[in-house]
Amino acid sequence: MADPYQNNIHHQGGGDSYGSYGEGGGPDGYGYREDFPPQEEDAASDVTEGHDEEDQTYEGEYQGIPHPDDEKAAQRAARAKARSAGSAVSELEELSEQYEDIMEDCGHGKFQWTLFMVLGLALMADGVECFVVAFVLPSAEKDLCLSNAEKGMLGLTVFLSMMVGAFLWGGLADKVGRRRCLIVALAIYCIFGFLSSFAQGYGFFLFFRLLSGVGIGGTVPIVYSYFSEFLQMDKRGEHLSWLCMFWMIGGIYASFTAWGIIPRYGWGFSMGTEFQFHSWRVFVLVAALPAIGSLVGLTFMPESPRFLLENAKHDEAWMILKLVHDTNWRAKGQPEKVFTVTHIKTPKTAEDEFIEIQSATGTAVQRWAVRSLTLSKLVMKNVASLLSAELRSATLLMAIIWFCMAFSYYGLSVWFPDMIKHLQHEEYESRVKVFHRERVENFHFNFSLENQIHEEGEYIHDKFISIEMKSVKFESSLFEDCHFEDIKSTDTVFENCTIRSTVFYNTDLWEEKFIDCKMENTTFEHNKQGCHLDTMEENDVLIYLVSFLGSLAVLPGNIISALFMDKIGRAKIIGGAMLISAGCTVFLFLSFSQSAIIALQCLFCGVSVAAWNGMEVVTVELYPASKRATAFGLLNALCKLAAVLGSSTFTSFVGKTKAVPILLSFAALVCGGLVALKLPDTRGKVLQ
């Protein structure tokens, strides 16, 4: 029998610019090998012993139900008939039809489920990253001495860096390869995420999180593009929706690990006063574990054969498709099934020829420079092509939908916990104790002071030793001959006070905590340097509970959208979910308690996830393989930009008014939902 690899013919010149396997071609556009020797009777597999396929009766035969294989054959024949009856078919369209037929022959089984888990871990890492800064910030702001402006910049950096990463890696994945780009992106995330956990200063921590964000930003556009190219048409919508569940699992994982690690301050260590490794840094390391797992798994996964065929790498694509076929059928107990594809027509693009010419000239540095420049030009050309006449309408519609959804979702995702904190603060302030014109003389304060206001008091010969002051305000008061020692304070100020002959020893009461105060013969000795962690305030379990419930509430929406994605259609799923989510926001006018806000957050997240799933499925289906990851990356970058605008806009109204955030989210969701209904129906269509 002839070796199939020796039959490969790659035509570089004029005429037929196809790579082919074998010499024959079947009626469906690709060939089947007919020269296999007949199998002897005694050579049957043990798995199929005693089972004669011709003697088996399909159990639905007597009920008039067609066999699934008959349905696929009918669909394939219909596609072939449509091609022959229609006008001239382009090379890429013919490849799309052929590729769908091949994936149907390969089936859906062990290979796809293995890839599903590996890519799911990458998507899980993206979900974790969205929570990391929010969970570590309360502790990190004390450990790194962060101001409000620095905290805001850190939160902003995460989304901006992910925006850059989505655009960068999405564009490169269409030119360099899905698997290669995903491995590099995850490696960058893991390396700089690891380094950020050891950064002792704000500058280094910000820099490392910036680079780790660029890495993880590439996961979403690559993961969906990569996985979709191993799925046959009737499995695509459902299984891409199941893949979305890993983002939810990432949120649950982040909530549980943060709650289990960050409050445990004994889990850290220190090396003098210069190097501190507190528990929140341990959480940063643990947060990278899903990405590490995906990175390891990807080393055993092949490149997308569709990408390879688009780039005229015929041999590699054929071998991978054979691997998929053999892996699936062997796991199903049918190892005797043979991969019969012998002929795949693949167009050779002008870009490939240009790179081939340049790679044979000049020095290594010159070749690297030429390739980098060429690659940059090809990526930007690909981005510009998204606004071509064929794709302009789809791109504009998807841009509006992605922006509206992200603006509302991420804006409300930040607004919900901020509103809960605001209600907690209001409740806390309502219990404040006010002391007016008290006179305390020769008294030893050896108990903590919390949530108190002292107005026009007089404190003579008093001692404040080894105590904590939390949310304490001294206003227009007199301190004379007092002694403050080993004081730890949070939100404590002295305003318009007179302080005479008083000593502050080993305290964190710095100059900024004395507002318009008059100092007379007052000394500060051995002030505490740096910042400290407040174990009482920063680690309220509610922050983890809210995130956990919000992530868990996504489960019903994920299941429903996966089951009905192919029955209802992508456009109706997206439009319906966005309009229902808009209705949910109206109920926020009735939320006056923490429990009501948490309940509405769960409802909103549970409904909106169906829209997210539909958006991700239809994005990979609207664009051809050569532009799929680029388009997804561009739209995902727009999503992160909308997230920045939404979160910064919504948080500015916390404590002022609820009407503006609610009306903004309502308007955006209604707009996006109505636009989504204009999307074309991509069900039952071959992946371009």
Side-chain angles (χ1 to χ4, degrees), residues 4 31 98 162 175 181 372 424 581:
Q98 293 176 0
M162 291 176 75
K175 296 301 176 185
C181 286
S372 299
Q424 286 180 321
S581 299

Side-chain angles (χ1 to χ4, degrees), residues 169 172-182 222 303 307:
W169 297 113
L172 289 175
D174 278 333
K175 296 301 176 185
V176 179
R178 281 83 160 104
R179 175 180 174 272
R180 183 187 300 180
C181 286
L182 187 55
I222 298 177
E303 180 57 85
F307 166 79

